[in-house]
Amino acid sequence: MRWRGRQGSSNIEDRRGVRFGRAGGIGIGTIVLALIAIYFGQDPSVVLQGVQPSAPTSQEGPYQETPEEAQQREFVGVVLADTEETWGQIFSQAGRTYEQPKLVLFSGAVESACGFAEAAVGPFYCPGDHKVYIDLSFYQELQNRFGAPGDFAQAYVVAHEIGHHVQTLLGISERNMAARQQAGEAEANALSVRQELQADCFAGIWAHNADRSRQLLEQGDIEEGLNAAAAIGDDRLQKQARGYVAPESFTHGSSEQRVRWFKRGYETGSVQACDTFGTNQL
């Protein structure tokens, strides 16, 4: 990506110097369930709501970032700024004002309006405070565990979470949450898949805009994004984890679905083309 020398966003909140301790804590069962968020963006409040862990105590001190972390922080700021430009234009064309979210950098654990979360849940968006949360160490896991290296793969993580913010602003998240609460487990999972695939499609819209309007992308970038989307498909992750696939338990979509919906957003640049809730064919 051609990101160096570009202006970064001012909406970065750095909490990497905050350390937490607690007498009790969230149980291991809850942590295991919350790991679904590591697939990029499942709202952790869906898992953590109703959990009442002991209140964490926090201590703030200086954080000494490495040169690699400094570069990642700068990179994330540039990507966030570019998503602000993309969605600001799209909302303006629709006669609306885009509310820019904050992106919170943390290390190890963080407190959000969705509750206390450890880095194990991965990057997430919290609709309660309109903030994206990310521990930059996740990018090492993205490369090593998921086999998805490259700066555009990293940008896709941010763009997907911003997709969830767009869903919140459009009222999609609230409607889907209400529908899920009235549904059985299988139907609730299916609705979650539709929401995640739409966030993938919205990430593709950002890539479309960044490429066509600002020539931010370089050769091979889209392939990196598609590889990242495929790497975190439910079918691939389930196959790796337990040796078989259970489609009824999918919460994010298969590798093929995630790739296809990202491509749809990238190729069309159209919000209307990302209506995963209005189609029978995912």
Side-chain angles (χ1 to χ4, degrees), residues 26-39 41-53 112-118 120-127 177 180-181 185 188-189 192 195-196 249 251-252:
I26 297 174
I28 187 65
T30 303
I31 293 298
V32 170
L33 289 175
L35 283 174
I36 58 174
I38 212 169
Y39 300 173
Q42 175 75 6
D43 177 4
S45 66
V46 174
V47 176
L48 300 176
Q49 62 184 352
V51 177
Q52 299 295 331
S112 76
C114 294
F116 177 80
E118 297 180 345
V121 304
F124 66 92
Y125 171 74
C126 177
M177 176 62 73
R180 291 182 63 195
Q181 290 173 344
E185 182 179 358
N189 286 342
S192 175
Q195 186 165 346
E196 295 298 328
S249 67
T251 56
H252 288 66

Side-chain angles (χ1 to χ4, degrees), residues 11-271:
N11 290 312
I12 300 289
E13 189 177 325
D14 196 341
R15 299 191 203 168
R16 289 177 296 173
V18 179
R19 293 291 180 266
F20 289 90
R22 58 168 71 245
I26 297 174
I28 187 65
T30 303
I31 293 298
V32 170
L33 289 175
L35 283 174
I36 58 174
I38 212 169
Y39 300 173
F40 294 158
Q42 175 75 6
D43 177 4
S45 66
V46 174
V47 176
L48 300 176
Q49 62 184 352
V51 177
Q52 299 295 331
S54 58
T57 59
S58 64
Q59 182 176 2
E60 186 170 357
Y63 182 83
Q64 186 63 45
E65 65 181 2
T66 65
E68 180 181 13
E69 289 173 329
Q71 178 174 297
Q72 289 176 335
R73 170 179 49 77
E74 182 181 355
F75 171 77
V76 166
V78 170
V79 173
L80 181 61
D82 207 76
T83 65
E84 292 166 352
E85 183 167 351
T86 292
W87 290 108
Q89 291 173 351
I90 292 173
F91 271 60
S92 178
Q93 291 168 1
R96 304 183 56 160
T97 299
Y98 178 66
E99 175 196 328
Q100 297 179 355
K102 295 284 187 179
L103 187 148
V104 179
L105 300 177
F106 72 96
S107 180
V110 70
E111 186 74 42
S112 76
C114 294
F116 177 80
E118 297 180 345
V121 304
F124 66 92
Y125 171 74
C126 177
D129 55 22
H130 291 195
K131 294 181 179 181
V132 171
Y133 293 82
I134 183 170
D135 184 327
L136 293 176
S137 65
F138 175 78
Y139 283 146
Q140 195 64 39
E141 186 170 18
L142 180 66
Q143 175 176 317
N144 296 337
R145 178 182 174 185
F146 294 111
D151 53 9
F152 190 82
Q154 297 175 2
Y156 163 71
V157 176
V158 176
H160 176 95
E161 301 306 337
I162 295 301
H164 286 304
H165 177 62
V166 172
Q167 290 173 323
T168 296
L169 296 182
L170 296 178
I172 296 169
S173 297
E174 184 177 5
R175 292 193 298 271
N176 195 43
M177 176 62 73
R180 291 182 63 195
Q181 290 173 344
Q182 300 297 318
E185 182 179 358
E187 185 181 352
N189 286 342
L191 288 169
S192 175
V193 167
R194 290 180 184 274
Q195 186 165 346
E196 295 298 328
L197 293 179
Q198 186 177 61
D200 283 331
C201 193
F202 284 171
I205 289 178
W206 163 73
H208 173 98
N209 195 287
D211 189 21
R212 269 56 167 195
S213 300
R214 295 176 292 283
Q215 293 75 53
L216 194 65
L217 306 189
E218 297 178 300
Q219 184 175 359
D221 280 344
I222 292 300
E223 287 74 16
E224 288 179 4
L226 296 176
N227 179 51
I232 43 76
D234 283 328
D235 53 343
R236 177 170 174 178
L237 291 172
Q238 288 185 358
K239 184 71 172 179
Q240 291 175 342
R242 56 195 187 190
Y244 65 92
V245 174
E248 69 280 0
S249 67
F250 286 1
T251 56
H252 288 66
S254 69
S255 294
E256 185 276 331
Q257 288 173 322
R258 301 200 73 167
V259 166
R260 179 157 44 83
W261 281 98
F262 175 83
K263 287 177 67 176
R264 180 174 297 191
Y266 173 68
E267 291 169 356
T268 66
S270 168
V271 173

